[in-house]
Amino acid sequence: MASNLAHPFAIYPMVEEHEASGRVAAVYSQALEHMPFVPSLFKSLAVCPPYLVLAWRQAEAAFATEAFGDEARRLAGAVSQAAVAPTETEIRDALAGFVEPLGRMLLLSAGLLAAVEGELFGGPAPATPPEQLDRAARRPSPAQWELNEDELFGRLRLALRTPLVNSIWRTLAERGLLQVAWTHLEPQVDGTAGAASELQADAVGTARRLDWPVVAGPEALDGAGMADGAPGIAVILDAYVKTLPRVLALVASSA
């Protein structure tokens, strides 16, 4: 773990599923009604539970709209030819399972960032708290510290210029697939950089054009007593807005 701590990109904390309680556990439970795993975006935002609740309200309302799903899929499709997919079926199939969730999280993070910066407008967040649902036992994505991939995670973060180890990389590591997958993907990082930059700009513009039913913006943050936390939240969201296009440009060809 020491080599990651010395990495030039600071590591962002996350609240893992086994650590979650109260409102955080409730949001995770509801997220699993919409997605096959709890995205690392929510785990990063969970360091501020009141904001996570606001972000989830915006996310849940967006997930229910046809336009959001259509645009998220379009974003993923826009970079489907940016990289060459792995030839190994097991790795390609594993990557393919993340393509649609990555597109949704990219569009969501761009919308949340615009909202925090006061550049997105919509209806007020509902006052009801998220409800914790009963779910069957499942195996969540492991924390990066639970995996013996410190050196590889450091290489990955350096290549992608990010403080984040997204769920996709941790899940691949748990399955014993990350080394082979990253050996294939790493040489393509520079070649996909242009497509990733275009995708980022597209996602930001799309998020601002969409009619978001719920906005976790400055007024909502102020009402929740979190106005002073907006700059820190914006930093986290900005990291995702920059990182997710780089990841998606690498893996979208596997879908």
Side-chain angles (χ1 to χ4, degrees), residues 40-223:
S40 58
L41 172 63
F42 295 147
K43 294 180 180 181
S44 292
L45 297 178
V47 297
C48 181
Y51 177 74
L52 176 65
V53 172
L54 289 177
W56 172 247
R57 289 173 183 160
Q58 180 164 323
E60 188 176 34
F63 290 169
T65 67
E66 185 175 348
F68 180 89
D70 289 346
E71 290 294 344
R73 285 186 288 272
R74 182 188 63 78
L75 291 173
V79 289
S80 62
Q81 303 299 317
V84 177
T87 57
E88 297 88 342
T89 301
E90 185 179 14
I91 295 174
R92 189 171 64 250
D93 289 349
L95 294 176
F98 284 90
V99 172
E100 184 174 352
L102 283 167
R104 294 169 75 185
M105 290 303 101
L106 171 57
L107 186 55
L108 177 63
S109 60
L112 289 172
L113 180 59
V116 167
E117 294 178 339
E119 298 176 356
L120 198 68
F121 304 94
T128 55
E131 177 186 1
Q132 189 160 353
L133 306 175
D134 292 329
R135 294 192 57 85
R138 56 180 298 277
R139 187 174 185 180
S141 299
Q144 67 185 75
W145 311 123
E146 298 172 352
L147 301 161
N148 189 28
E149 295 288 1
D150 186 64
E151 181 177 352
L152 187 53
F153 284 153
R155 280 175 46 202
L156 188 151
R157 291 170 53 238
L158 183 62
L160 295 176
R161 305 188 306 281
T162 181
L164 308 167
V165 178
N166 301 90
S167 297
I168 182 173
W169 310 125
R170 291 182 281 133
T171 299
L172 288 173
E174 183 184 36
R175 298 177 186 175
L177 302 176
L178 181 60
Q179 179 67 64
V180 176
W182 188 243
T183 297
H184 176 84
L185 295 173
E186 185 174 19
Q188 302 189 69
V189 172
D190 289 344
T192 58
S197 294
E198 292 178 4
L199 179 60
Q200 179 182 334
D202 190 355
V204 169
T206 300
R208 292 169 188 267
R209 290 193 303 271
L210 278 177
D211 182 18
W212 292 81
V214 179
V215 173
E219 184 176 349
L221 267 67
D222 186 55

